[in-house]
PDB file of all heavy atoms in Angstrom:
ATOM      1  N   PHE A 343     -16.755  16.706   2.553  1.00 87.00           N
ATOM      2  CA  PHE A 343     -15.387  16.227   2.339  1.00 87.00           C
ATOM      3  C   PHE A 343     -14.740  15.939   3.697  1.00 87.00           C
ATOM      4  O   PHE A 343     -14.946  16.664   4.668  1.00 87.00           O
ATOM      5  CB  PHE A 343     -14.564  17.257   1.567  1.00 87.00           C
ATOM      6  CG  PHE A 343     -15.018  17.441   0.152  1.00 87.00           C
ATOM      7  CD1 PHE A 343     -15.865  18.474  -0.191  1.00 87.00           C
ATOM      8  CD2 PHE A 343     -14.623  16.542  -0.832  1.00 87.00           C
ATOM      9  CE1 PHE A 343     -16.308  18.636  -1.484  1.00 87.00           C
ATOM     10  CE2 PHE A 343     -15.060  16.694  -2.141  1.00 87.00           C
ATOM     11  CZ  PHE A 343     -15.911  17.741  -2.472  1.00 87.00           C
ATOM     12  N   THR A 344     -13.954  14.901   3.712  1.00 87.00           N
ATOM     13  CA  THR A 344     -13.324  14.441   4.948  1.00 87.00           C
ATOM     14  C   THR A 344     -12.387  15.499   5.515  1.00 87.00           C
ATOM     15  O   THR A 344     -11.518  16.006   4.803  1.00 87.00           O
ATOM     16  CB  THR A 344     -12.527  13.155   4.669  1.00 87.00           C
ATOM     17  OG1 THR A 344     -13.400  12.188   4.099  1.00 87.00           O
ATOM     18  CG2 THR A 344     -11.913  12.610   5.937  1.00 87.00           C
ATOM     19  N   PRO A 345     -12.517  15.846   6.802  1.00 87.00           N
ATOM     20  CA  PRO A 345     -11.604  16.824   7.410  1.00 87.00           C
ATOM     21  C   PRO A 345     -10.185  16.272   7.541  1.00 87.00           C
ATOM     22  O   PRO A 345      -9.962  15.056   7.539  1.00 87.00           O
ATOM     23  CB  PRO A 345     -12.228  17.066   8.799  1.00 87.00           C
ATOM     24  CG  PRO A 345     -13.627  16.564   8.703  1.00 87.00           C
ATOM     25  CD  PRO A 345     -13.595  15.442   7.710  1.00 87.00           C
ATOM     26  N   ASN A 346      -9.227  17.188   7.683  1.00 83.00           N
ATOM     27  CA  ASN A 346      -7.819  16.778   7.813  1.00 83.00           C
ATOM     28  C   ASN A 346      -7.599  15.811   8.955  1.00 83.00           C
ATOM     29  O   ASN A 346      -6.863  14.823   8.834  1.00 83.00           O
ATOM     30  CB  ASN A 346      -6.939  18.009   8.069  1.00 83.00           C
ATOM     31  CG  ASN A 346      -6.690  18.803   6.810  1.00 83.00           C
ATOM     32  OD1 ASN A 346      -6.790  18.279   5.718  1.00 83.00           O
ATOM     33  ND2 ASN A 346      -6.368  20.066   6.970  1.00 83.00           N
ATOM     34  N   GLU A 347      -8.197  16.124  10.105  1.00 83.00           N
ATOM     35  CA  GLU A 347      -7.918  15.306  11.281  1.00 83.00           C
ATOM     36  C   GLU A 347      -8.374  13.867  11.069  1.00 83.00           C
ATOM     37  O   GLU A 347      -7.792  12.935  11.624  1.00 83.00           O
ATOM     38  CB  GLU A 347      -8.576  15.890  12.535  1.00 83.00           C
ATOM     39  CG  GLU A 347     -10.083  16.033  12.466  1.00 83.00           C
ATOM     40  CD  GLU A 347     -10.515  17.400  11.954  1.00 83.00           C
ATOM     41  OE1 GLU A 347      -9.693  18.088  11.308  1.00 83.00           O
ATOM     42  OE2 GLU A 347     -11.666  17.775  12.211  1.00 83.00           O
ATOM     43  N   ASN A 348      -9.405  13.664  10.275  1.00 86.00           N
ATOM     44  CA  ASN A 348      -9.855  12.303   9.998  1.00 86.00           C
ATOM     45  C   ASN A 348      -8.839  11.557   9.139  1.00 86.00           C
ATOM     46  O   ASN A 348      -8.567  10.375   9.366  1.00 86.00           O
ATOM     47  CB  ASN A 348     -11.205  12.327   9.298  1.00 86.00           C
ATOM     48  CG  ASN A 348     -12.301  12.928  10.159  1.00 86.00           C
ATOM     49  OD1 ASN A 348     -12.152  14.026  10.683  1.00 86.00           O
ATOM     50  ND2 ASN A 348     -13.405  12.224  10.309  1.00 86.00           N
ATOM     51  N   CYS A 349      -8.272  12.256   8.149  1.00 84.00           N
ATOM     52  CA  CYS A 349      -7.234  11.622   7.324  1.00 84.00           C
ATOM     53  C   CYS A 349      -6.042  11.233   8.191  1.00 84.00           C
ATOM     54  O   CYS A 349      -5.516  10.116   8.107  1.00 84.00           O
ATOM     55  CB  CYS A 349      -6.770  12.573   6.217  1.00 84.00           C
ATOM     56  SG  CYS A 349      -8.062  13.076   5.058  1.00 84.00           S
ATOM     57  N   MET A 350      -5.619  12.173   9.035  1.00 79.00           N
ATOM     58  CA  MET A 350      -4.409  11.946   9.822  1.00 79.00           C
ATOM     59  C   MET A 350      -4.618  10.951  10.952  1.00 79.00           C
ATOM     60  O   MET A 350      -3.657  10.446  11.524  1.00 79.00           O
ATOM     61  CB  MET A 350      -3.901  13.278  10.380  1.00 79.00           C
ATOM     62  CG  MET A 350      -3.438  14.258   9.308  1.00 79.00           C
ATOM     63  SD  MET A 350      -2.195  13.560   8.191  1.00 79.00           S
ATOM     64  CE  MET A 350      -0.819  13.379   9.310  1.00 79.00           C
ATOM     65  N   ASN A 351      -5.878  10.624  11.269  1.00 79.00           N
ATOM     66  CA  ASN A 351      -6.129   9.636  12.306  1.00 79.00           C
ATOM     67  C   ASN A 351      -5.532   8.290  11.921  1.00 79.00           C
ATOM     68  O   ASN A 351      -5.042   7.549  12.778  1.00 79.00           O
ATOM     69  CB  ASN A 351      -7.631   9.487  12.546  1.00 79.00           C
ATOM     70  CG  ASN A 351      -7.944   8.558  13.693  1.00 79.00           C
ATOM     71  OD1 ASN A 351      -7.414   8.721  14.791  1.00 79.00           O
ATOM     72  ND2 ASN A 351      -8.796   7.579  13.456  1.00 79.00           N
ATOM     73  N   CYS A 352      -5.568   7.971  10.623  1.00 78.00           N
ATOM     74  CA  CYS A 352      -4.956   6.723  10.162  1.00 78.00           C
ATOM     75  C   CYS A 352      -3.563   6.933   9.605  1.00 78.00           C
ATOM     76  O   CYS A 352      -2.763   6.008   9.561  1.00 78.00           O
ATOM     77  CB  CYS A 352      -5.828   6.069   9.090  1.00 78.00           C
ATOM     78  SG  CYS A 352      -7.414   5.471   9.702  1.00 78.00           S
ATOM     79  N   HIS A 353      -3.264   8.140   9.160  1.00 74.00           N
ATOM     80  CA  HIS A 353      -1.967   8.416   8.550  1.00 74.00           C
ATOM     81  C   HIS A 353      -1.005   9.075   9.549  1.00 74.00           C
ATOM     82  O   HIS A 353      -0.008   9.652   9.132  1.00 74.00           O
ATOM     83  CB  HIS A 353      -2.132   9.320   7.334  1.00 74.00           C
ATOM     84  CG  HIS A 353      -2.715   8.611   6.152  1.00 74.00           C
ATOM     85  ND1 HIS A 353      -1.946   7.923   5.240  1.00 74.00           N
ATOM     86  CD2 HIS A 353      -3.995   8.456   5.745  1.00 74.00           C
ATOM     87  CE1 HIS A 353      -2.735   7.390   4.316  1.00 74.00           C
ATOM     88  NE2 HIS A 353      -3.977   7.698   4.600  1.00 74.00           N
ATOM     89  N   THR A 354      -1.304   8.973  10.822  1.00 66.00           N
ATOM     90  CA  THR A 354      -0.444   9.581  11.832  1.00 66.00           C
ATOM     91  C   THR A 354       0.972   9.043  11.748  1.00 66.00           C
ATOM     92  O   THR A 354       1.930   9.784  11.905  1.00 66.00           O
ATOM     93  CB  THR A 354      -1.010   9.322  13.245  1.00 66.00           C
ATOM     94  OG1 THR A 354      -2.286   9.946  13.345  1.00 66.00           O
ATOM     95  CG2 THR A 354      -0.091   9.908  14.305  1.00 66.00           C
ATOM     96  N   THR A 355       1.121   7.735  11.471  1.00 54.00           N
ATOM     97  CA  THR A 355       2.463   7.178  11.388  1.00 54.00           C
ATOM     98  C   THR A 355       3.249   7.838  10.271  1.00 54.00           C
ATOM     99  O   THR A 355       4.466   7.875  10.307  1.00 54.00           O
ATOM    100  CB  THR A 355       2.404   5.662  11.128  1.00 54.00           C
ATOM    101  OG1 THR A 355       1.540   5.408  10.012  1.00 54.00           O
ATOM    102  CG2 THR A 355       1.872   4.944  12.341  1.00 54.00           C
ATOM    103  N   ALA A 356       2.550   8.380   9.274  1.00 43.00           N
ATOM    104  CA  ALA A 356       3.245   9.042   8.173  1.00 43.00           C
ATOM    105  C   ALA A 356       3.921  10.321   8.624  1.00 43.00           C
ATOM    106  O   ALA A 356       4.816  10.833   7.965  1.00 43.00           O
ATOM    107  CB  ALA A 356       2.266   9.348   7.035  1.00 43.00           C
ATOM    108  N   LYS A 357       3.513  10.868   9.771  1.00 44.00           N
ATOM    109  CA  LYS A 357       4.193  12.063  10.272  1.00 44.00           C
ATOM    110  C   LYS A 357       5.669  11.765  10.490  1.00 44.00           C
ATOM    111  O   LYS A 357       6.531  12.565  10.148  1.00 44.00           O
ATOM    112  CB  LYS A 357       3.575  12.499  11.605  1.00 44.00           C
ATOM    113  CG  LYS A 357       2.190  13.093  11.494  1.00 44.00           C
ATOM    114  CD  LYS A 357       1.735  13.515  12.887  1.00 44.00           C
ATOM    115  CE  LYS A 357       0.373  14.155  12.861  1.00 44.00           C
ATOM    116  NZ  LYS A 357      -0.054  14.579  14.207  1.00 44.00           N
ATOM    117  N   GLY A 358       5.929  10.620  11.078  1.00 49.00           N
ATOM    118  CA  GLY A 358       7.314  10.292  11.345  1.00 49.00           C
ATOM    119  C   GLY A 358       8.039   9.762  10.135  1.00 49.00           C
ATOM    120  O   GLY A 358       9.226   9.950   9.990  1.00 49.00           O
ATOM    121  N   ARG A 359       7.341   9.113   9.233  1.00 45.00           N
ATOM    122  CA  ARG A 359       7.998   8.461   8.116  1.00 45.00           C
ATOM    123  C   ARG A 359       8.379   9.426   7.002  1.00 45.00           C
ATOM    124  O   ARG A 359       9.379   9.257   6.360  1.00 45.00           O
ATOM    125  CB  ARG A 359       7.081   7.374   7.544  1.00 45.00           C
ATOM    126  CG  ARG A 359       6.894   6.205   8.480  1.00 45.00           C
ATOM    127  CD  ARG A 359       5.894   5.256   7.881  1.00 45.00           C
ATOM    128  NE  ARG A 359       5.689   4.095   8.757  1.00 45.00           N
ATOM    129  CZ  ARG A 359       4.728   3.223   8.579  1.00 45.00           C
ATOM    130  NH1 ARG A 359       3.895   3.365   7.590  1.00 45.00           N
ATOM    131  NH2 ARG A 359       4.599   2.206   9.382  1.00 45.00           N
ATOM    132  N   ARG A 360       7.510  10.371   6.728  1.00 45.00           N
ATOM    133  CA  ARG A 360       7.739  11.197   5.553  1.00 45.00           C
ATOM    134  C   ARG A 360       7.925  12.674   5.899  1.00 45.00           C
ATOM    135  O   ARG A 360       8.075  13.497   5.018  1.00 45.00           O
ATOM    136  CB  ARG A 360       6.564  11.066   4.586  1.00 45.00           C
ATOM    137  CG  ARG A 360       6.447   9.697   3.967  1.00 45.00           C
ATOM    138  CD  ARG A 360       5.314   9.643   2.974  1.00 45.00           C
ATOM    139  NE  ARG A 360       4.024   9.665   3.638  1.00 45.00           N
ATOM    140  CZ  ARG A 360       2.865   9.578   2.991  1.00 45.00           C
ATOM    141  NH1 ARG A 360       2.848   9.475   1.692  1.00 45.00           N
ATOM    142  NH2 ARG A 360       1.737   9.594   3.649  1.00 45.00           N
ATOM    143  N   GLY A 361       7.856  13.018   7.171  1.00 46.00           N
ATOM    144  CA  GLY A 361       7.918  14.421   7.511  1.00 46.00           C
ATOM    145  C   GLY A 361       6.657  15.146   7.098  1.00 46.00           C
ATOM    146  O   GLY A 361       6.641  16.370   6.972  1.00 46.00           O
ATOM    147  N   PHE A 362       5.572  14.423   6.896  1.00 58.00           N
ATOM    148  CA  PHE A 362       4.323  15.030   6.437  1.00 58.00           C
ATOM    149  C   PHE A 362       3.422  15.276   7.632  1.00 58.00           C
ATOM    150  O   PHE A 362       3.106  14.364   8.374  1.00 58.00           O
ATOM    151  CB  PHE A 362       3.649  14.106   5.422  1.00 58.00           C
ATOM    152  CG  PHE A 362       2.263  14.540   5.046  1.00 58.00           C
ATOM    153  CD1 PHE A 362       1.991  15.864   4.760  1.00 58.00           C
ATOM    154  CD2 PHE A 362       1.243  13.620   4.966  1.00 58.00           C
ATOM    155  CE1 PHE A 362       0.717  16.264   4.405  1.00 58.00           C
ATOM    156  CE2 PHE A 362      -0.028  14.005   4.612  1.00 58.00           C
ATOM    157  CZ  PHE A 362      -0.299  15.333   4.329  1.00 58.00           C
ATOM    158  N   PHE A 363       2.993  16.493   7.802  1.00 63.00           N
ATOM    159  CA  PHE A 363       2.167  16.837   8.944  1.00 63.00           C
ATOM    160  C   PHE A 363       0.767  17.287   8.538  1.00 63.00           C
ATOM    161  O   PHE A 363       0.094  17.974   9.263  1.00 63.00           O
ATOM    162  CB  PHE A 363       2.846  17.921   9.792  1.00 63.00           C
ATOM    163  CG  PHE A 363       3.970  17.381  10.606  1.00 63.00           C
ATOM    164  CD1 PHE A 363       5.189  17.133  10.026  1.00 63.00           C
ATOM    165  CD2 PHE A 363       3.806  17.065  11.933  1.00 63.00           C
ATOM    166  CE1 PHE A 363       6.241  16.604  10.757  1.00 63.00           C
ATOM    167  CE2 PHE A 363       4.843  16.528  12.675  1.00 63.00           C
ATOM    168  CZ  PHE A 363       6.067  16.297  12.087  1.00 63.00           C
ATOM    169  N   GLY A 364       0.329  16.903   7.362  1.00 67.00           N
ATOM    170  CA  GLY A 364      -1.011  17.270   6.953  1.00 67.00           C
ATOM    171  C   GLY A 364      -1.110  18.742   6.626  1.00 67.00           C
ATOM    172  O   GLY A 364      -0.113  19.455   6.542  1.00 67.00           O
ATOM    173  N   PHE A 365      -2.333  19.194   6.465  1.00 74.00           N
ATOM    174  CA  PHE A 365      -2.540  20.610   6.182  1.00 74.00           C
ATOM    175  C   PHE A 365      -3.314  21.274   7.317  1.00 74.00           C
ATOM    176  O   PHE A 365      -4.122  22.171   7.105  1.00 74.00           O
ATOM    177  CB  PHE A 365      -3.244  20.789   4.837  1.00 74.00           C
ATOM    178  CG  PHE A 365      -2.277  20.842   3.694  1.00 74.00           C
ATOM    179  CD1 PHE A 365      -1.950  19.704   3.001  1.00 74.00           C
ATOM    180  CD2 PHE A 365      -1.654  22.019   3.347  1.00 74.00           C
ATOM    181  CE1 PHE A 365      -1.036  19.727   1.961  1.00 74.00           C
ATOM    182  CE2 PHE A 365      -0.744  22.063   2.303  1.00 74.00           C
ATOM    183  CZ  PHE A 365      -0.434  20.913   1.614  1.00 74.00           C
ATOM    184  N   GLY A 366      -3.067  20.814   8.537  1.00 70.00           N
ATOM    185  CA  GLY A 366      -3.636  21.485   9.687  1.00 70.00           C
ATOM    186  C   GLY A 366      -2.864  22.768   9.977  1.00 70.00           C
ATOM    187  O   GLY A 366      -2.019  23.212   9.199  1.00 70.00           O
ATOM    188  N   ASP A 367      -3.133  23.369  11.129  1.00 73.00           N
ATOM    189  CA  ASP A 367      -2.493  24.639  11.472  1.00 73.00           C
ATOM    190  C   ASP A 367      -0.975  24.542  11.496  1.00 73.00           C
ATOM    191  O   ASP A 367      -0.277  25.513  11.214  1.00 73.00           O
ATOM    192  CB  ASP A 367      -2.995  25.125  12.843  1.00 73.00           C
ATOM    193  CG  ASP A 367      -4.406  25.685  12.766  1.00 73.00           C
ATOM    194  OD1 ASP A 367      -4.871  25.914  11.632  1.00 73.00           O
ATOM    195  OD2 ASP A 367      -5.037  25.876  13.811  1.00 73.00           O
TER     196      ASP A 367
END
Side-chain angles (χ1 to χ4, degrees):
F343 292 97
T344 304
N346 283 337
E347 59 268 20
N348 297 52
C349 299
M350 295 306 292
N351 185 52
C352 293
H353 286 273
T354 297
T355 51
K357 289 182 178 181
R359 291 175 180 169
R360 293 183 288 183
F362 171 45
F363 285 78
F365 273 93
D367 285 347

